[in-house]
Amino acid sequence: MRIDKARDYVVDNLQYALNPSSIAVVGASRYPSKVGNKVVAELLEWGYTGKIYPVNPRADKVLGLKSYHTLKDIHDRVDLVFVAVPAHLVTAIVEDAIEIKAKVLVIATSAFKEIGREDLQNKITLRLRENKIPLIGPNLVGMGSPYNHFNCGFIPYLPVPGPIAMISQSGANLLAALGTSQEDHFGMSFFVGLGNKADVDFSEFIEYAQKDEHTKCLAIYIEGLDSPEAFVAACKKVTKPIVVIKVGGSKIGVKAAFAHTASENPEPDQYYDDLIKEAGAIRAVTWQEFLDISLAVGYQPPLKGDNIVMITNGGGAGLLACDHFERCGLPLHELSEISPLLATRMRAYMPMFGSPLNPVDIAGTASAIQYKGAFKQALRDPAVDGILGAICPTAVTDVSAICDAAIEVYEANKELNKPFIMICQGGKECHDAILKFRDHGIPAYASAEQAVNAIAALRKTAVK
Amino acid sequence: MRIDKARDYVVDNLQYALNPSSIAVVGASRYPSKVGNKVVAELLEWGYTGKIYPVNPRADKVLGLKSYHTLKDIHDRVDLVFVAVPAHLVTAIVEDAIEIKAKVLVIATSAFKEIGREDLQNKITLRLRENKIPLIGPNLVGMGSPYNHFNCGFIPYLPVPGPIAMISQSGANLLAALGTSQEDHFGMSFFVGLGNKADVDFSEFIEYAQKDEHTKCLAIYIEGLDSPEAFVAACKKVTKPIVVIKVGGSKIGVKAAFAHTASENPEPDQYYDDLIKEAGAIRAVTWQEFLDISLAVGYQPPLKGDNIVMITNGGGAGLLACDHFERCGLPLHELSEISPLLATRMRAYMPMFGSPLNPVDIAGTASAIQYKGAFKQALRDPAVDGILGAICPTAVTDVSAICDAAIEVYEANKELNKPFIMICQGGKECHDAILKFRDHGIPAYASAEQAVNAIAALRKTAVK
């Protein structure tokens, strides 16, 4: 339901959604195949340290924990009430939650507005608003934070810790990102699926993210905006970079977005383009770009100018990058134009058939020592605004040693505050290097175009 | 050097470049850090079963093999001569190769036309043309085929076997694809790096690929075309689908392409767009798209119409796909328009909060049995031209069981000859499913947009 602006009581209470000291899980089943069972199982598995109160009218124990027949039987402070019972039972649960003075209510259950039951959804929402209890959902997957070992919902993974707060209207895409986080070390501070967002809206999680100490950037997936003014106002208040993907702009997508999260999209896609621009956020087009850009702005400082030096041992990666830089409106400059002295110095780190043009091609024979020298010279040159490195594994490339050398140079020159991005294109050793780079705060990607998208986004954060 | 059309003697002799019964490696070093040593080591490691003759004036044994001081000392048939000695020594080797009647000469050595030594490169080329010995290179990484356990060059990996012949002017990008092949089961029939392509040109490998029994599609990476007419003519002769990525179109890319593989790009990018269209090939823009599209057209039949049905357990993946289908000029149609009966039938495989719109959202609770039923109904409906499935791992999704069910339905209905593409977006179990799908000939991808790009390419192969 529409709000004019982010409400303070909601923003304040969201701490109980992401770092509660106690949780009641209503619909906590004894049967492992049921979602209500999974919620408790995942809380336990990922090491939640607060109190868990399963609620189930027909059980005394769930997964070894004492279970309560109703919320009112708990007789203890309950921060978060997580509801996973069929829609027709929810109204009664809401009354109980009000009575026990829960701090936040999460309704995971589907079958509300998205299948035509708008009245029921609105009735519950208004009842909770009267009592100043924020409602997250309904029709959502859950939320969590790796910093709090907190995984609350129908969520098979907890992400690796990192700088990105992901606020997603889609559960499935959020889960995909969490899986990617584990596999590809896409580090997150917290995540939440908003679902139908009957009450708590984007703007409120956006303001919460600004206050969250672990969050360095916001990654927001939108299917529809009920309160665009509140969204823009919240984004403007936030000093951290914001990346947005807005879906459902296609003809059939408008209908699919309604069927999915009851999102209404009466406006053309250009409206969202303008709105996201006004909000000072960066819009991503594809899912991959959304993740790649978020990683970059989460870990790296803004790119203050367009003097980027690319250092590669493979000309092909360099060419893919050149073309994509131009496509992104950020064409590479020749090194001799950026810094004639640097162009001369670079010769020391390459064989005679290398090229100091930019991309600087230090050739397929490049060693970790050559990479290190080239990176150091480029980073320390005052004319250079940012570095893009690429490792292409030839038969003589020691990917792991080059990775370590690059991390060493990066860390020794961190105070220069220049973006440092890597491409590692190849097989297992490249994927391992990507993970290691990311663990050290260096955004690393498997293809040139992904890295260039990341750099283009860092340029945008400088001109926000 | 320019050719008017693919030369028959070259196309015939390329079998010795990819399936030689004997190889001489000139510059085979005893020292493991040297590239000349790696070439022999990789041939042995990957199980090459032909004869290997190391050539080294200062060695009698290399990696346990009898070594020869010159090519002329071999006194046995040599199909392929692989040269990895410095450029100034190459002229003498060429004369020896002519004398022993080698079938193909490969010069891996760099420092020819790309650093200004065009005269030397041309002299060698003309000398070999006089003697009808195809020259591959110089300045290249190598070639190979997993079907022949043949890895010949500075190449740390052999790809997994599959339908894609990759013909690449860039060594580094070729190596990246080979690494991806191992990690992500991007199956290849053969691969070759062309480097400066002084003599043997794209057109000749294109015609060879048409004859190669394992090749079902061609993936071609171009930095510059010396003989565009020969390229177009060869593509037109080939009945297998061809995917092309052409780089170096950006302002700085033109210079970088010359520095890399001595490629000259006097024409604007639109020229290549038109040329690739005339050739009947599909042009990819980014590297990821290049791989994704190649995989699809290598494994799947053309998409004969635009009635695609998408079946997903996550609305978010469906929305990303909808929007991207529209971006690709192939908007999804509502299922009730494609087949009203199918829309009704689909209801049997989803809960009440699912949606039969298209994307068909069978919801986060979907089981392998529900997926199987939905896939079967959609595949067998005569109005349906192709299927896009998506698996999003919720806490109750059995990704592995759904993967097996999908493969079963696909294999049982193969004679229908309809494209079947999968999205598996998430963590490790999704990556495992992607590998299994690919091993069964089903192109599977980690994001919706990649899969939609693949389908759009399959539509193009139908209208070639």
Side-chain angles (χ1 to χ4, degrees):
Chain A
M1 289 181 89
R2 192 180 158 73
I3 52 172
D4 294 328
K5 63 184 193 87
R7 294 156 296 172
D8 289 341
Y9 81 88
V10 173
V11 178
D12 285 345
N13 271 24
L14 289 184
Q15 62 181 300
Y16 302 109
L18 289 162
N19 196 13
S21 61
S22 56
I23 304 174
V25 180
V26 184
S29 169
R30 284 160 294 178
Y31 308 109
S33 66
K34 298 286 182 183
V35 288
N37 179 282
K38 297 273 182 196
V39 177
V40 178
E42 300 289 344
L43 281 170
L44 292 169
E45 186 188 331
W46 294 97
Y48 173 63
T49 54
K51 286 185 187 153
I52 307 172
Y53 304 109
V55 177
N56 179 336
R58 286 176 302 279
D60 294 317
K61 281 217 164 200
V62 171
L63 290 163
L65 297 171
K66 175 172 165 47
S67 179
Y68 300 80
H69 289 197
T70 71
L71 278 173
K72 288 185 287 184
D73 296 325
I74 295 174
H75 300 300
D76 213 338
R77 166 182 162 158
V78 176
D79 282 351
L80 171 63
V81 174
F82 189 97
V83 182
V85 296
H88 67 277
L89 301 174
V90 170
T91 311
I93 308 291
V94 166
E95 292 306 323
D96 286 359
I98 291 168
E99 198 170 323
I100 66 164
K101 297 189 167 49
K103 297 282 197 287
V104 168
L105 188 75
V106 176
I107 303 180
T109 313
S110 300
F112 286 91
K113 185 178 174 189
E114 79 279 13
I115 63 155
R117 287 181 180 158
E118 189 172 0
D119 285 354
L120 175 61
Q121 181 174 309
N122 288 349
K123 204 183 112 204
I124 291 168
T125 305
L126 290 173
R127 190 77 186 102
L128 287 161
R129 283 189 178 182
E130 278 166 30
N131 290 278
K132 296 210 167 179
I133 299 177
L135 161 65
I136 309 177
N139 185 23
L140 60 68
V141 73
M143 64 273 302
S145 165
Y147 289 100
N148 303 328
H149 309 286
F150 177 55
N151 175 336
C152 183
F154 314 142
I155 298 170
Y157 334 87
L158 200 60
V160 301
I164 303 155
M166 184 169 283
I167 303 164
S168 172
Q169 210 173 335
S170 159
N173 288 337
L174 177 60
L175 293 176
L178 301 180
T180 301
S181 178
Q182 284 205 332
E183 280 289 281
D184 300 333
H185 292 197
F186 178 84
M188 292 193 190
S189 52
F190 74 80
F191 59 90
V192 60
L194 294 185
N196 290 5
K197 53 185 173 48
D199 178 42
V200 176
D201 204 356
F202 288 108
S203 57
E204 290 153 335
F205 269 106
I206 290 168
E207 293 200 7
Y208 174 80
Q210 174 71 12
K211 297 196 297 180
D212 179 62
E213 58 167 333
H214 298 296
T215 298
K216 307 295 176 212
C217 83
L218 290 76
I220 305 175
Y221 171 97
I222 300 175
E223 299 192 350
L225 281 178
D226 303 311
S227 308
E229 298 84 0
F231 170 80
V232 171
C235 288
K236 282 184 169 173
K237 275 169 84 172
V238 169
T239 56
K240 300 171 182 178
I242 301 172
V243 182
V244 171
I245 185 166
K246 161 69 182 67
V247 305
S250 55
K251 195 160 158 270
I252 203 164
V254 170
K255 292 189 181 187
F258 187 84
H260 186 219
T261 49
S263 296
E264 294 173 57
N265 280 288
E267 312 287 355
D269 199 58
Q270 183 61 44
Y271 166 82
Y272 293 99
D273 247 16
D274 296 342
L275 188 115
I276 292 164
K277 193 171 285 172
E278 196 199 333
I282 300 168
R283 184 172 186 178
V285 176
T286 67
W287 180 253
Q288 187 66 56
E289 202 185 308
F290 178 57
L291 298 184
D292 292 339
I293 289 178
S294 300
L295 193 82
V297 303
Y299 278 116
Q300 291 286 313
L303 177 67
K304 297 198 187 87
D306 60 358
N307 282 336
I308 302 143
V309 175
M310 178 173 184
I311 295 165
T312 177
N313 68 337
L319 278 166
L320 290 167
C322 287
D323 287 2
H324 204 62
F325 270 119
E326 196 168 290
R327 253 177 242 130
C328 293
L330 198 66
L332 280 185
H333 304 297
E334 290 194 36
L335 194 55
S336 58
E337 288 166 19
I338 296 174
S339 167
L341 194 60
L342 182 60
T344 311
R345 281 184 181 145
M346 281 293 185
R347 280 276 181 209
Y349 309 103
M350 64 179 71
M352 61 172 296
F353 51 88
S355 162
L357 179 72
N358 197 23
V360 178
D361 185 351
I362 59 173
T365 49
S367 66
I369 293 166
Q370 288 172 315
Y371 265 102
K372 200 170 155 180
F375 280 140
K376 200 165 154 182
Q377 292 290 350
L379 255 177
R380 293 199 178 169
D381 191 301
V384 174
D385 297 310
I387 305 288
L388 173 59
I391 310 176
C392 309
T394 71
V396 294
T397 306
D398 187 341
V399 176
S400 160
I402 296 168
C403 174
D404 290 343
I407 291 169
E408 198 188 319
V409 177
Y410 168 70
E411 293 194 333
N413 293 282
K414 235 178 181 168
E415 80 288 350
L416 296 171
N417 214 30
K418 293 180 183 179
F420 192 93
I421 305 283
M422 290 296 302
I423 301 165
C424 306
Q425 55 169 42
K428 184 169 185 318
E429 78 278 43
C430 285
H431 189 246
D432 291 345
I434 287 173
L435 300 187
K436 195 165 189 180
F437 277 125
R438 291 180 171 196
D439 292 347
H440 285 82
I442 300 172
Y445 304 95
S447 75
E449 294 91 345
Q450 291 176 270
V452 172
N453 286 339
I455 291 177
L458 289 170
R459 186 75 188 107
K460 287 180 191 160
T461 60
V463 292
K464 185 181 173 174
Chain B
M1 288 182 90
R2 193 183 156 73
I3 52 172
D4 293 329
K5 63 184 193 86
R7 295 155 296 172
D8 290 342
Y9 80 88
V10 173
V11 178
D12 286 344
N13 272 24
L14 290 184
Q15 63 182 299
Y16 302 110
L18 289 162
N19 196 13
S21 61
S22 55
I23 303 173
V25 180
V26 184
S29 169
R30 285 161 293 180
Y31 307 110
S33 66
K34 297 284 182 182
V35 289
N37 179 283
K38 296 274 181 195
V39 177
V40 178
E42 300 289 344
L43 281 169
L44 292 169
E45 186 188 330
W46 295 96
Y48 173 63
T49 54
K51 286 185 187 153
I52 306 172
Y53 304 111
V55 177
N56 179 336
R58 285 176 303 278
D60 295 316
K61 282 215 164 204
V62 171
L63 289 164
L65 297 171
K66 176 172 162 47
S67 179
Y68 299 81
H69 288 196
T70 72
L71 278 174
K72 288 185 286 184
D73 295 324
I74 295 173
H75 301 300
D76 212 338
R77 167 181 160 160
V78 176
D79 282 351
L80 172 63
V81 174
F82 189 97
V83 182
V85 296
H88 67 278
L89 301 174
V90 170
T91 312
I93 308 291
V94 166
E95 291 306 322
D96 287 359
I98 291 168
E99 197 168 324
I100 67 165
K101 296 190 166 47
K103 297 282 197 287
V104 168
L105 188 74
V106 175
I107 303 180
T109 313
S110 300
F112 286 91
K113 186 179 173 188
E114 79 279 13
I115 62 154
R117 286 182 181 158
E118 188 171 2
D119 286 354
L120 176 61
Q121 181 174 308
N122 287 350
K123 205 184 112 203
I124 291 167
T125 306
L126 289 172
R127 190 78 187 102
L128 288 161
R129 284 190 177 179
E130 278 165 28
N131 289 279
K132 297 208 166 178
I133 299 177
L135 162 64
I136 308 176
N139 185 23
L140 59 67
V141 72
M143 63 272 302
S145 164
Y147 289 100
N148 304 327
H149 308 285
F150 178 56
N151 175 335
C152 183
F154 314 142
I155 298 169
Y157 334 88
L158 200 58
V160 301
I164 302 155
M166 184 167 284
I167 303 164
S168 171
Q169 209 173 337
S170 159
N173 288 338
L174 177 60
L175 293 176
L178 302 179
T180 302
S181 178
Q182 286 205 333
E183 280 289 280
D184 300 333
H185 292 198
F186 177 83
M188 292 194 190
S189 52
F190 73 81
F191 60 89
V192 58
L194 294 184
N196 291 5
K197 55 184 173 46
D199 179 42
V200 176
D201 204 357
F202 287 108
S203 56
E204 290 154 334
F205 267 106
I206 290 167
E207 292 201 8
Y208 174 80
Q210 173 70 12
K211 298 196 295 180
D212 179 63
E213 58 169 334
H214 298 296
T215 299
K216 306 296 176 211
C217 83
L218 290 75
I220 305 175
Y221 171 97
I222 299 175
E223 299 193 348
L225 282 177
D226 303 311
S227 307
E229 299 83 1
F231 170 80
V232 171
C235 288
K236 282 185 169 173
K237 277 169 82 172
V238 168
T239 55
K240 300 170 183 180
I242 301 172
V243 182
V244 172
I245 185 166
K246 161 70 181 69
V247 303
S250 56
K251 194 161 159 270
I252 203 163
V254 170
K255 292 189 182 188
F258 187 84
H260 186 218
T261 49
S263 296
E264 295 173 56
N265 280 290
E267 313 287 355
D269 200 57
Q270 184 60 45
Y271 166 82
Y272 293 100
D273 246 16
D274 296 342
L275 187 115
I276 292 163
K277 194 170 283 171
E278 195 198 334
I282 300 167
R283 184 171 186 178
V285 176
T286 66
W287 180 253
Q288 187 66 54
E289 201 185 311
F290 177 57
L291 298 183
D292 292 339
I293 290 179
S294 299
L295 193 83
V297 302
Y299 279 117
Q300 291 286 312
L303 177 68
K304 296 197 187 86
D306 59 0
N307 282 336
I308 302 142
V309 175
M310 179 172 184
I311 295 164
T312 178
N313 68 337
L319 277 167
L320 290 167
C322 288
D323 287 1
H324 204 61
F325 270 119
E326 196 168 290
R327 252 176 241 132
C328 292
L330 198 68
L332 280 185
H333 303 297
E334 289 194 36
L335 194 55
S336 58
E337 288 167 19
I338 296 174
S339 167
L341 194 60
L342 182 60
T344 311
R345 281 184 182 147
M346 282 294 186
R347 280 277 182 208
Y349 308 105
M350 63 179 70
M352 61 172 294
F353 51 87
S355 162
L357 178 73
N358 197 22
V360 178
D361 185 351
I362 60 174
T365 49
S367 67
I369 293 167
Q370 288 172 314
Y371 264 103
K372 200 171 157 181
F375 279 140
K376 201 166 154 182
Q377 292 289 350
L379 256 177
R380 293 197 178 170
D381 191 301
V384 174
D385 297 311
I387 305 288
L388 173 60
I391 310 176
C392 309
T394 71
V396 294
T397 305
D398 186 342
V399 175
S400 161
I402 295 168
C403 174
D404 290 343
I407 290 169
E408 199 189 318
V409 178
Y410 168 70
E411 293 193 333
N413 294 281
K414 234 179 182 168
E415 81 288 349
L416 296 171
N417 214 31
K418 292 181 183 178
F420 192 93
I421 305 282
M422 289 296 301
I423 301 164
C424 305
Q425 55 169 42
K428 186 172 182 316
E429 78 278 44
C430 286
H431 190 246
D432 290 346
I434 287 174
L435 300 187
K436 195 167 190 180
F437 277 124
R438 291 181 172 197
D439 292 346
H440 285 81
I442 300 172
Y445 305 95
S447 75
E449 294 91 344
Q450 291 177 269
V452 172
N453 286 340
I455 291 177
L458 289 170
R459 186 76 189 108
K460 287 181 191 160
T461 61
V463 292
K464 185 183 172 176

